[in-house]
Amino acid sequence: MKKICAFAILLTSALTFTGCSREQEDVFDKSAAERLNEVSSLYSQRLTSSKGGWVMEYYPDADNEDLVTGVGYLIMTRFYDNGSVYTGMKNAASDEYVPMPEDKNRNIWRKVNTAPIFLTDSSAWQVITDMGPVLSFNSYNKCLGRFSDPEDLGRTPSKYDDESGKGYQGDYEFVMVDVPEGGNHILLKGKKRNVYQRLTRIPEGTDFEAYLDDIDKFHSNFFNENLPYEFVLTDNGTNYQMDRMHTGRPIFYPQGKDSVAYGRYLPYLVTKYDNQYHLRFKDSVMLAEGKTQMEQEFVYNASEDLFRGVGNSGNTITSPYATAMQFFAQQYNNQHKFKLFRNTERSDMSQKMLTAFEAASNAMTKKNKKYKIDSLALVKSGDELTWQLRYLSGKSGEDLPFRYSAQFDGEYLTLNFIDAAAQNGRNVMNSVPEIKALLTEVLAHRFKVEAYITRFNLTKIKLTSETDPEIWFVINY
């Protein structure tokens, strides 16, 4: 009996071993190295499939606290089948390679040369196998290398900002986390820093510098550093404040709470694909214990002038003002001075408005060669509105105030000319008819008040005559 039992146990073990062997042969018909090589080849094909290339949302470091290493940078990439990659970037880091005159200090040089240069480079790339597929820029590339070089940063010349041995603390090799077939995005993870980076497909024929310039223009138009207000992010019905969006690393905190006690930094980047601008945060933030993560990506809806969540369109990023008139009326009642410059590089205006402005200035100069009109300023004075006409005489200037009645009605502001506020203003009106025409015919209208570009940036407000649409101008906050 003992022999029979022993034989039965031995037979069962043999059958079990045989069964496992067959299962391994079915599932693992190739070695791990062979499978990795196949995946690497497949991922390489998916990278080169985008003939236009990819825009990379690149974050050097995991720490969000620093305005140099804690913000994102856009790097344009185009991968070729021959193993070469072409890159381009235009940001604050790209001028590090620009040689300076030997007698110039970099900090002084940067103040003069504030516009970033467009830096390009070509190098080698490969999807290598290292515990999984890894995208490696495996020969030196100026764009990627700028962030992985362990050198002191020229952007921070103070002795207290010596980054020697660290640099930007970035990566040049990335674990390929998610590489879907035909996808718009590829998700990467820095091999050393463990920071997630994303590649977004861009159309064939895209000019890298033009793409970056377009993003930069969008960013500066929407997130102006001189804004006196914060933006509102609504996520699942809860409102949050977004302060200092222009830095690329806003402070995010619950509405009604203290920004110091409850705030956190939330870096983001703007990209463009499918002809729409997308704002995507570096991290998907857990809002509170027991709540879901915050929406990470938003797309700009031009018809509504707001950003809507990609995952949940009910989540939004908006201006705190529903209309430009709300902001204008608030600031006007606080006696803020809005300016209209004759220089069209500073204030945009219609041709009819410009013609009247130039005629007034030229006529004043004709009376006295030392005089020329510089600007107009709109400000509240008691219960009236005042247009202050500023003229220059050499390096000095003088303001001539003119009184108007002001009526606010919905999105409209009605201005009726009353009189000059002082005798010298009356004298100028009587001696220069073109100035009188500007004040009494062009500036005395019922104007529609609206955002010039977007409600996100109300530093520029457009006033358009209701009765004569060819009269419009932009006042600056």
Side-chain angles (χ1 to χ4, degrees), residues 281-337:
F281 294 106
K282 174 185 177 183
D283 302 309
S284 181
V285 178
M286 185 68 74
L287 297 174
E289 188 176 352
K291 290 189 177 181
T292 58
Q293 289 182 326
M294 188 189 78
E295 183 91 44
Q296 189 174 7
E297 185 172 356
F298 295 78
V299 59
Y300 178 64
N301 186 308
S303 62
E304 299 178 286
D305 198 12
L306 52 75
F307 291 86
R308 288 199 175 276
V310 171
N312 179 356
S313 62
N315 296 334
T316 60
I317 300 175
T318 64
S319 165
Y321 297 95
T323 66
M325 177 59 93
Q326 287 183 357
F327 173 75
F328 173 76
Q330 179 192 76
Q331 299 300 315
Y332 171 79
N333 286 321
N334 291 335
Q335 295 188 315
H336 180 81
K337 186 180 291 188

Side-chain angles (χ1 to χ4, degrees), residues 151-346:
E151 299 176 359
D152 181 36
L153 305 182
R155 294 172 58 189
T156 56
S158 168
K159 65 180 180 180
Y160 300 107
D161 291 308
D162 186 356
E163 299 87 0
S164 297
K166 297 187 299 181
Y168 282 91
Q169 305 179 65
D171 275 303
Y172 64 91
E173 290 189 324
F174 308 91
V175 178
M176 304 187 77
V177 178
D178 186 23
V179 191
E181 182 179 3
N184 275 331
H185 308 291
I186 291 176
L187 188 63
L188 308 173
K189 186 178 182 181
K191 185 178 172 183
K192 184 175 182 180
R193 305 293 176 185
N194 295 317
V195 181
Y196 285 96
Q197 327 283 4
R198 189 175 76 163
L199 295 176
T200 296
R201 186 184 297 267
I202 55 178
E204 187 171 0
T206 298
D207 180 280
F208 280 3
E209 185 174 13
Y211 181 97
L212 294 172
D213 286 343
D214 182 55
I215 296 296
D216 183 65
K217 182 179 179 181
F218 179 89
H219 190 275
S220 44
N221 278 342
F222 278 66
F223 308 123
N224 188 287
E225 64 180 316
N226 297 315
L227 295 177
Y229 51 82
E230 301 173 2
F231 301 113
V232 179
L233 186 151
T234 302
D235 191 280
N236 292 307
T238 303
N239 291 336
Y240 301 86
Q241 296 293 119
M242 304 286 288
D243 188 20
R244 303 177 194 174
M245 285 288 285
H246 68 279
T247 64
R249 188 201 59 157
I251 298 173
F252 167 84
Y253 62 99
Q255 199 169 65
K257 299 288 188 178
D258 180 73
S259 64
V260 176
Y262 293 89
R264 68 182 79 175
Y265 291 113
L266 206 58
Y268 72 93
L269 283 167
V270 174
T271 57
K272 187 178 183 181
Y273 62 94
D274 295 336
N275 291 317
Q276 292 180 299
Y277 295 96
H278 288 247
L279 186 156
R280 181 175 179 268
F281 294 106
K282 174 185 177 183
D283 302 309
S284 181
V285 178
M286 185 68 74
L287 297 174
E289 188 176 352
K291 290 189 177 181
T292 58
Q293 289 182 326
M294 188 189 78
E295 183 91 44
Q296 189 174 7
E297 185 172 356
F298 295 78
V299 59
Y300 178 64
N301 186 308
S303 62
E304 299 178 286
D305 198 12
L306 52 75
F307 291 86
R308 288 199 175 276
V310 171
N312 179 356
S313 62
N315 296 334
T316 60
I317 300 175
T318 64
S319 165
Y321 297 95
T323 66
M325 177 59 93
Q326 287 183 357
F327 173 75
F328 173 76
Q330 179 192 76
Q331 299 300 315
Y332 171 79
N333 286 321
N334 291 335
Q335 295 188 315
H336 180 81
K337 186 180 291 188
F338 291 87
K339 289 191 174 183
L340 168 61
F341 295 94
R342 188 169 62 88
N343 182 346
T344 54
E345 292 183 1
R346 303 182 70 183

